[in-house]
């Protein structure tokens, strides 16, 4: 019995220190950064992610603008194209997500020119095949070509404008052999011998003619594939290409797929319409962060004070549990990570209320038992046992509501409603641990000993009775 | 033992008056603005634009710019204390139009700084409205089912569910009434965030009712001899400390946000506060009394004028 309560105390201490370590905004050791459920790219920085309403930026909801059902593959490809354009904007931590059947949600933190960003997102990309001579221009380079027309987004956003380069061999713009309009299809395949991913493409009638003539005369030279004037890939011509061919290179399968998608759908595979935009100025965001933090801290402080004054020693334990509650929540927000928005903070505060309520339920029960003349240790146990069904039932009903909110929030366009539901759900689950388990461990520690009966005898006020 | 449940007639009357006021406000709003609540562009579609101009200008002059672009329905108001911040509400525009208006405004008034711009297509608005109705409906049904399940060992478990739902509808109506009045008086608009507040109120309302019902469930088996009214009343008295303490804590947090929080979130919090107050009130003065009335079969008698004998008080 003793061992078990010692183990429980140890668990609480470990969890609390871990949460403290992660929640604190300090430099985290590598193992802490590695302590994550999944890692899309490299190490995680353990920073609290702030939503657009907190740091300012642009949210755009794009909808496939077609009659009838949207082909999931086409939407998937459209997402790739959009993602590429977003990357071209040079925004840090952009988000491109699919929403429902036919929508793409794009979040661009810190964008200060929403109009340009939007036109880049939904503009039609221009695919060109450029004669590059013997020197392959590196991928990512911006070329000035002799093809004019098409809505071309040169050097938008993060890419420096004016960086478009001329052909160093001729000192003139690069020559465009043909555009994506002459391409019939492009897809990923595998090399028969090496089974490395390659791109297979087919040309239309006029494209076949142009390419046959060009490749016949330029074997051994480079054809650059250029999207919106930016080099994607620069394969060397090996044979005469007649009607179709293949591009091989040091591709990973992902890269090959991306390139094929861009070639196939130089223009978006489905037209996208902007149906909802939300731009928040950076100052507005900063204002709301500051005031929310102030408000949250003050509110929490008053609650801590109230609990200590009203419930005395048990109240202090509830305070410790509540502080651990806050730390664990912050850690989870960082670990998953959860993007914090104003509604998200509201959800967290509401969960805090639930956590406090659980302790209030327990303490009120305990006080009843004490008033009925039960010994301290019995009263503590009874308090937890009796309150448990109330805590469980009420939390379950809130979880059900939050779950429904999460489900329907996905269709609300604004991800903010979902943010609220997520922080509420996490908070309620954490509160079951801190307000019930942690408080219990602390109470056992102080009231569970044989001597505590005498220590608190005649000092009922210390127990809030 | 003080008897709360005994005076239930008056609680019904009080709540009835509050609900009536709420319905009247929504009705009045419907007649004057053709909508019970002032709906934001989240529901109707349209554009909301908040911007600063370098030179303060008369709203009329700024409005002229919008009219020149064929947006004669644009409503424009001044925000803040410095006098150069404005909000415009207009119908949904494409980004080319927005950019041209921005250029024009900037050229005429010495520069423009957009603080917030939100543009919602009409189809999105319809979808949000539908999703909102579905969310409330599904949440109600789920809660009804959950309570019926949690109280399956008590006689008439469904009654607990319906009493909780009745208290919840009570809280929804009062919250809607409050928002409707604020819409008429202060121009508050209902947005997707408001749905969050409403669903929180629902969750809290039910949570509060369940805590009291839980005590009734426990006391039903503990005090077998007592009649239901006494048991219910006992349960109420035993849980009232908790209700007050919890409500106080929720109060502290919300008041702090109202006093120190960002402007954008204040209507949201105020709405939630009214809903939570209503939720605490309704769990004590509506949910449990309704349950008692149902068990005693006295709803009609209460208002039928037929005086029944005073219940025994312990």
């Amino acid at each position: 019995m003793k061992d078990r309560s010692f183990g429980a105390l140890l668990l609480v201490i470990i969890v609390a220190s871990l949460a403290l370590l992660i929640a604190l905004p300090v430099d985290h050791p590598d193992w802490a950064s590695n302590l994550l459920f999944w890692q899309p790219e490299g190490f995680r920085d353990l920073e609290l992610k702030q939503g657009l309403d907190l740091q300012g930026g642009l949210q755009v909801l794009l909808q496939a603008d077609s009659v009838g059902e949207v082909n999931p593959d086409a939407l998937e490809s459209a997402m790739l194209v959009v993602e590429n354009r977003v990357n071209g904007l040079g925004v840090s931590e952009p988000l491109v997500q699919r929403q429902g059947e036919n929508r793409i949600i794009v979040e661009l933190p810190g964008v200060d020119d929403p109009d340009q960003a939007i036109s880049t997102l939904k503009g039609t990309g221009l695919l060109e095949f450029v004669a590059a001579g013997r020197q392959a221009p590196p991928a990512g380079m911006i070329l000035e070509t002799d093809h004019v027309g098409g809505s071309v987004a040169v050097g938008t956003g993060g890419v420096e404008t004016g960086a478009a380069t001329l052909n160093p061999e001729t000192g003139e713009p690069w020559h465009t052999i043909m555009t994506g309009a002459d391409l019939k299809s492009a897809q990923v395949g595998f090399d028969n011998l090496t089974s490395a991913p390659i791109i297979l493409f087919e040309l239309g009638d006029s494209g076949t003619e142009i390419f046959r003539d060009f490749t016949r005369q330029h074997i051994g030279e480079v054809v650059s594939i250029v999207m919106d004037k930016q080099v994607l890939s620069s394969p060397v011509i090996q044979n005469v290409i007649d009607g179709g061919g293949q591009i091989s290179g040091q591709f990973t399968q992902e890269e090959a797929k991306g390139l094929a998608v861009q070639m196939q759908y130089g223009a978006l595979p489905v037209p996208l319409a902007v149906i909802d935009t939300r731009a928040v100025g950076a100052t507005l965001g900063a204002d709301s962060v500051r005031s929310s933090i102030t408000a949250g801290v003050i509110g929490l402080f008053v609650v801590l004070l109230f609990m200590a004054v009203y419930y005395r020693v048990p109240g202090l334990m509830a305070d410790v549990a509540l502080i651990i509650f806050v730390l664990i929540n912050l850690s989870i927000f960082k670990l998953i990570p959860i993007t914090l928005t104003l509604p998200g903070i509201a959800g967290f505060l509401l969960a805090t209320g639930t956590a406090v309520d659980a302790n209030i339920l327990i303490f009120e029960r305990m006080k009843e038992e004490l008033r009925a003349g039960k010994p301290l240790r019995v009263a503590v146990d009874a308090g937890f046992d009796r309150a448990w069904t109330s805590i469980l039932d009420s939390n379950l009903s809130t979880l059900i509501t939050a779950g429904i909110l999460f489900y329907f929030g996905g269709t609300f366009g604004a991800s903010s409603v979902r943010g609220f539901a997520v922080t509420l759900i996490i908070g309620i689950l954490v509160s079951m641990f801190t307000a019930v388990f942690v408080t219990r461990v602390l109470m056992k520690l102080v009231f569970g000993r044989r001597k505590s009966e005498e220590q608190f005898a005649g000092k009922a006020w210390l127990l809030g009775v | 033992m003080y008897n709360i449940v005994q005076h239930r007639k008056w609680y019904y009357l009080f709540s009835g008056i509050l609900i009536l006021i709420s319905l009247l406000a929504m009705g009045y709003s419907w007649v004057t603005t053709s909508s019970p609540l002032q709906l934001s562009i989240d529901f109707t579609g349209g554009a909301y634009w908040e911007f600063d101009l370098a030179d303060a200008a008369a709203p009329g002059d700024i409005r002229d710019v919008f009219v020149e672009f064929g947006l004669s329905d644009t409503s424009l108001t001044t925000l803040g204390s410095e006098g150069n911040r404005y909000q415009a509400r207009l119908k949904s525009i494409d980004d080319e139009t927005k950019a041209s208006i921005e250029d024009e405004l900037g050229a005429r008034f010495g520069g423009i700084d957009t603080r917030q711009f939100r543009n919602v297509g009409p189809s999105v608005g319809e979808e949000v409205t539908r999703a909102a109705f579905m969310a409330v409906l599904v949440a109600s049904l789920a809660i009804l089912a959950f309570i019926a399940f949690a109280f399956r060992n008590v006689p008439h478990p469904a009654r607990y569910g319906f009493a909780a739902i009745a208290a919840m509808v009570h809280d929804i109506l009062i919250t809607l009434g409050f928002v409707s009045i604020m819409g008429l008086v202060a121009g508050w608009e209902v947005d997707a965030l408001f749905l969050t507040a409403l669903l929180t109120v629902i969750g809290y309302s039910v949570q509060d009712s369940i805590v009291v019902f839980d005590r009734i469930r426990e006391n039903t088996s503990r005090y077998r001899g007592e009649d239901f009214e006494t048991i219910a009343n006992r349960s109420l008295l035993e849980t009232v400390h908790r209700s007050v303490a919890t409500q106080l804590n929720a109060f502290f947090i919300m008041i702090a946000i109202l006093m120190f929080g960002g402007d954008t979130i204040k209507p949201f919090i105020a709405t939630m506060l009214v809903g939570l107050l209503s939720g605490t009130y309704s769990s004590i003065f509506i949910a449990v009394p309704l349950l008692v009335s149902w068990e005693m079969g006295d709803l009609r008698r209460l208002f039928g004028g037929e005086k029944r004998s005073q219940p025994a008080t312990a």
Side-chain angles (χ1 to χ4, degrees):
Chain A
M1 200 65 205
K2 258 256 154 83
D3 292 344
R4 220 165 65 191
S5 62
F6 176 74
L9 182 65
L10 202 65
L11 177 69
V12 168
I13 291 173
I14 290 172
V15 170
S17 346
L18 211 59
L20 182 69
L21 179 76
I22 294 169
L24 279 183
V26 292
D27 283 335
H28 295 93
D30 282 352
W31 63 264
S33 307
N34 279 319
L35 187 89
L36 301 167
F37 310 128
W38 57 86
Q39 293 177 296
E41 49 208 47
F43 290 125
R44 202 79 67 114
D45 50 7
L46 286 184
E47 288 288 321
L48 265 183
K49 305 269 180 291
Q50 294 182 355
L52 289 181
D53 55 348
L54 296 186
Q55 60 169 321
L58 173 71
Q59 185 192 61
V60 182
L61 194 60
L62 299 160
Q63 182 174 284
D65 204 7
S66 67
V67 201
E69 236 164 76
V70 177
N71 177 358
D73 286 341
L75 194 71
E76 204 65 36
S77 313
M79 261 183 71
L80 268 174
V81 176
V82 169
E83 234 166 88
N84 271 316
R85 292 181 187 174
V86 165
N87 290 336
L89 286 169
V91 173
S92 68
E93 295 192 37
L95 175 93
V96 179
Q97 255 178 5
R98 197 171 146 167
Q99 195 178 58
E101 305 275 292
N102 59 347
R103 285 182 186 161
I104 299 170
I105 192 158
V106 181
E107 292 198 347
L108 306 169
V111 162
D112 47 7
D113 189 352
D115 303 327
Q116 198 196 17
I118 291 170
S119 63
T120 307
L121 281 186
K122 65 170 198 177
T124 315
L126 175 69
L127 183 73
E128 293 169 78
F129 293 82
V130 171
R134 306 243 158 229
Q135 278 290 316
M141 190 182 207
I142 309 264
L143 307 182
E144 193 177 330
T145 66
D146 58 8
H147 177 87
V148 275
S151 73
V152 183
V154 179
T156 40
V159 184
E160 282 172 45
T161 39
T165 49
L166 298 169
N167 189 335
E169 287 175 27
T170 60
E172 282 174 16
W174 305 74
H175 173 60
T176 300
I177 309 160
M178 60 172 221
T179 66
D182 291 315
L183 192 71
K184 217 158 100 187
S185 73
Q187 62 196 44
V188 179
F190 295 94
D191 190 291
N192 285 334
L193 295 173
T194 63
S195 68
I198 55 173
I199 294 154
L200 300 168
F201 64 92
E202 265 182 83
L203 296 167
D205 288 343
S206 60
T208 304
E209 207 168 303
I210 298 171
F211 233 54
R212 193 196 300 130
D213 292 347
F214 182 81
T215 51
R216 189 173 288 150
Q217 291 157 22
H218 295 85
I219 287 184
E221 290 184 24
V222 175
V223 175
S224 285
I225 302 165
V226 177
M227 168 67 78
D228 287 346
K229 309 294 183 193
Q230 192 172 7
V231 176
L232 296 177
S233 178
S234 297
V236 176
I237 302 165
Q238 314 272 13
N239 292 309
V240 175
I241 292 172
D242 192 1
Q246 62 179 60
I247 303 169
S248 45
Q250 305 295 322
F251 302 127
T252 66
Q253 197 175 335
E254 271 309 295
E255 285 165 354
K257 189 182 168 198
L259 189 55
V261 162
Q262 292 210 344
M263 286 175 65
Q264 168 96 40
Y265 306 113
L268 289 162
V270 279
L272 293 177
V274 174
I275 52 169
D276 185 352
T277 58
R278 182 193 285 267
V280 180
T283 48
L284 188 67
D287 284 352
S288 47
V289 175
R290 211 175 24 249
S291 47
S292 313
I293 291 176
T294 317
V297 170
I298 292 174
L300 274 177
F301 186 73
V302 177
V303 169
L304 291 176
L305 203 67
F306 172 83
M307 291 300 280
V309 169
Y310 197 74
Y311 293 107
R312 315 290 158 73
V313 176
L316 284 174
M317 291 166 188
D319 285 352
V320 173
L322 193 62
I323 291 168
I324 296 178
F325 169 85
V326 173
L327 291 177
I328 293 182
N329 265 291
L330 288 179
S331 312
I332 292 179
F333 294 163
K334 285 183 171 185
L335 285 177
I336 289 186
I338 301 288
T339 302
L340 266 194
T341 57
L342 280 182
I345 293 175
F348 167 62
L349 288 178
L350 198 76
T352 310
T354 309
V356 178
D357 182 43
N359 279 331
I360 290 176
L361 279 166
I362 294 165
F363 297 161
E364 288 296 337
R365 285 296 192 142
M366 194 183 92
K367 277 160 70 172
E368 271 174 43
E369 302 292 327
L370 284 173
R371 287 203 194 94
K374 298 271 172 62
L376 185 53
R377 271 192 290 174
V378 178
V380 169
D381 280 339
F384 280 94
D385 292 346
R386 292 269 161 82
W388 175 243
T389 53
S390 293
I391 295 171
L392 189 66
D393 283 351
S394 60
N395 280 352
L396 275 178
S397 75
T398 308
L399 279 179
I400 290 173
T401 321
I404 290 166
L405 192 57
F406 180 80
Y407 179 78
F408 285 97
T411 50
F412 283 168
S415 51
S416 57
V417 177
R418 266 202 161 161
F420 175 84
V422 170
T423 53
L424 183 59
I425 290 171
I426 293 174
I428 285 175
L429 295 178
V430 174
S431 83
M432 305 269 244
F433 172 72
T434 57
V436 180
F437 184 74
V438 173
T439 313
R440 181 164 203 161
V441 168
L442 294 174
M443 301 269 275
K444 284 265 187 198
L445 192 69
V446 177
F447 301 129
R449 295 164 304 151
R450 211 161 294 149
K451 266 167 62 184
S452 52
E453 208 76 47
E454 302 156 26
Q455 283 170 346
F456 287 95
K459 295 174 189 160
W461 66 272
L462 272 177
L463 304 172
V465 179
Chain B
M1 191 161 64
Y2 183 75
N3 196 334
I4 299 181
V5 186
Q6 190 183 14
H7 307 288
R8 51 188 175 274
K9 179 178 170 179
W10 300 110
Y11 314 144
Y12 297 152
L13 207 63
F14 177 66
S15 285
I17 292 172
L18 283 186
I19 289 175
L20 192 70
I21 293 174
S22 297
L23 291 176
L24 282 177
M26 284 188 268
Y28 178 77
S29 173
W30 194 315
V31 172
T32 50
T33 66
S34 74
S35 168
L37 305 167
Q38 305 300 304
L39 299 176
S40 81
I41 56 172
D42 280 354
F43 297 97
T44 58
Y48 173 89
W49 192 352
E50 199 180 311
F51 54 87
D52 289 349
L53 293 178
D55 308 331
D61 294 341
I62 302 169
R63 229 183 74 89
D64 286 345
V65 176
F66 285 93
V67 175
E68 279 166 31
F69 282 88
L71 300 161
S72 47
D73 281 344
T74 303
S75 83
L76 200 87
T77 38
T78 315
L79 291 179
S81 49
E82 281 143 53
N84 63 341
R85 176 163 302 163
Y86 307 89
Q87 67 171 32
R89 287 158 199 286
L90 49 152
K91 64 178 198 209
S92 187
I93 51 176
D94 56 32
D95 24 293
E96 286 84 7
T97 314
K98 188 218 162 199
S100 325
I101 298 176
E102 207 163 25
D103 290 345
E104 186 65 33
L105 285 173
R108 275 200 213 176
F109 305 105
I112 179 169
D113 181 19
T114 295
R115 282 170 60 87
Q116 262 199 87
F117 179 76
R118 182 143 164 63
N119 196 14
V120 183
S123 64
V124 182
E126 267 172 40
E127 216 173 292
V128 170
T129 315
R130 205 169 43 236
F133 269 112
M134 282 305 289
V136 173
L137 195 72
V138 174
S140 308
L141 290 177
I143 286 162
L144 187 67
F146 172 72
I147 293 179
F149 172 77
F151 288 82
R152 62 193 178 284
N153 294 328
V154 183
H156 316 301
R159 290 184 180 178
Y160 288 80
F162 280 112
I165 297 275
M168 180 187 96
V169 171
H170 168 273
D171 300 334
I172 292 179
L173 284 176
I174 287 177
T175 311
L176 289 178
F178 169 72
V179 175
S180 177
I181 291 173
M182 291 311 283
L184 290 168
V185 175
W188 281 17
E189 286 191 347
V190 167
D191 55 14
L193 205 54
F194 165 79
L195 294 176
T196 316
L198 200 63
L199 283 156
T200 310
V201 169
I202 291 174
Y204 181 85
S205 167
V206 175
Q207 185 166 352
D208 228 28
S209 300
I210 285 181
V211 170
V212 189
F213 288 175
D214 228 46
R215 194 53 88 98
I216 295 179
R217 178 174 62 183
E218 186 184 325
N219 284 343
T220 317
S221 51
R222 202 194 282 183
Y223 303 93
R224 284 197 185 280
E226 293 184 1
D227 67 353
F228 190 76
E229 180 166 348
T230 315
I231 290 178
N233 192 57
R234 179 192 293 280
S235 309
L236 267 185
L237 290 176
E238 285 172 357
T239 48
V240 79
H241 275 284
R242 170 264 165 195
S243 297
V244 172
T246 297
Q247 180 64 259
L248 270 178
N249 275 318
F251 238 75
F252 295 147
I253 294 183
M254 294 200 184
I255 296 290
I257 299 177
L258 282 181
M259 284 169 67
F260 306 103
D263 281 335
T264 38
I265 207 165
K266 280 181 183 170
F268 169 70
I269 296 292
T271 305
M272 210 136 89
L273 191 60
V274 169
L276 297 203
L277 268 179
S278 171
T280 303
Y281 166 84
S282 71
S283 65
I284 299 174
F285 296 100
I286 295 296
V288 175
L290 270 183
L291 201 57
V292 172
S293 288
W294 205 342
E295 292 287 332
M296 313 293 264
D298 65 2
L299 255 193
R300 207 183 307 161
R301 190 169 47 208
L302 271 183
F303 291 97
E306 186 189 325
K307 193 83 178 151
R308 75 177 180 128
S309 57
Q310 287 290 312
T313 47

